[in-house]
Amino acid sequence: MRKATILFLAAGSALLASCGSTGLLDRERPDEFAVQRQAPLVIPPDFDLTPPAPGAPRPTEGTAAQQAMEALFGGPAQRSAAENNTISRAGESEPGIRSAVGDTQTFSVDKGNTTQTIIAAPEGDGQDASVSVPS
């Protein structure tokens, strides 16, 4: 009985020790999100091209971040004639326009108490929020 208890404790200790990391079996793994696909090789239509310099980036590709931005938002869109006309009529903005907004001579719309209360409300997750219904 005593040998069985010692064997059971030794096996339990070995199993428990295998759960920890001792540094022997740990290894650096590559970041699977940092891997990007390479473009397939293509034969250029003009064979008189000079070969690229070793280590130079590909001229047709950008970084993964640039490719993601291009895929999400696309390139610069062409403006329509109406949009160009609107922008030209708007003219240039004043450099200090944001500081002039709070000036007493600036015309502004009164937002009312409700909007000011909403804007001035403290940040939170909403668990302490309360509702009051006027009668």
Side-chain angles (χ1 to χ4, degrees), residues 16 27 46 78 120:
L16 187 61
R27 61 183 172 94
D46 183 11
Q78 297 293 327

Side-chain angles (χ1 to χ4, degrees), residues 63-82:
T63 63
Q66 291 170 342
Q67 290 176 358
M69 293 298 285
E70 182 70 26
L72 288 172
F73 302 110
Q78 297 293 327
R79 291 187 172 138
S80 66

Side-chain angles (χ1 to χ4, degrees), residues 9-121:
L9 287 175
S13 299
L15 286 174
L16 187 61
S18 66
C19 293
S21 62
T22 60
L24 296 175
L25 300 177
D26 290 341
R27 61 183 172 94
E28 284 293 319
R29 293 174 177 85
D31 184 10
E32 64 269 12
F33 297 107
V35 177
Q36 66 180 15
R37 292 185 178 177
Q38 294 293 328
L41 296 175
V42 294
I43 298 175
D46 183 11
F47 294 105
D48 294 333
L49 296 174
T50 59
R58 293 182 173 186
T60 57
E61 291 184 15
T63 63
Q66 291 170 342
Q67 290 176 358
M69 293 298 285
E70 182 70 26
L72 288 172
F73 302 110
Q78 297 293 327
R79 291 187 172 138
S80 66
E83 190 175 3
N84 283 332
N85 187 16
T86 304
I87 291 172
S88 67
R89 286 184 181 199
E92 295 292 320
S93 63
E94 296 178 32
I97 188 65
R98 292 183 185 265
S99 62
V101 171
D103 188 19
T104 56
Q105 300 296 323
T106 304
F107 175 74
S108 60
V109 178
D110 184 16
K111 300 291 184 182
N113 290 336
T114 305
T115 306
Q116 290 176 359
T117 305
I118 292 171
I119 292 173

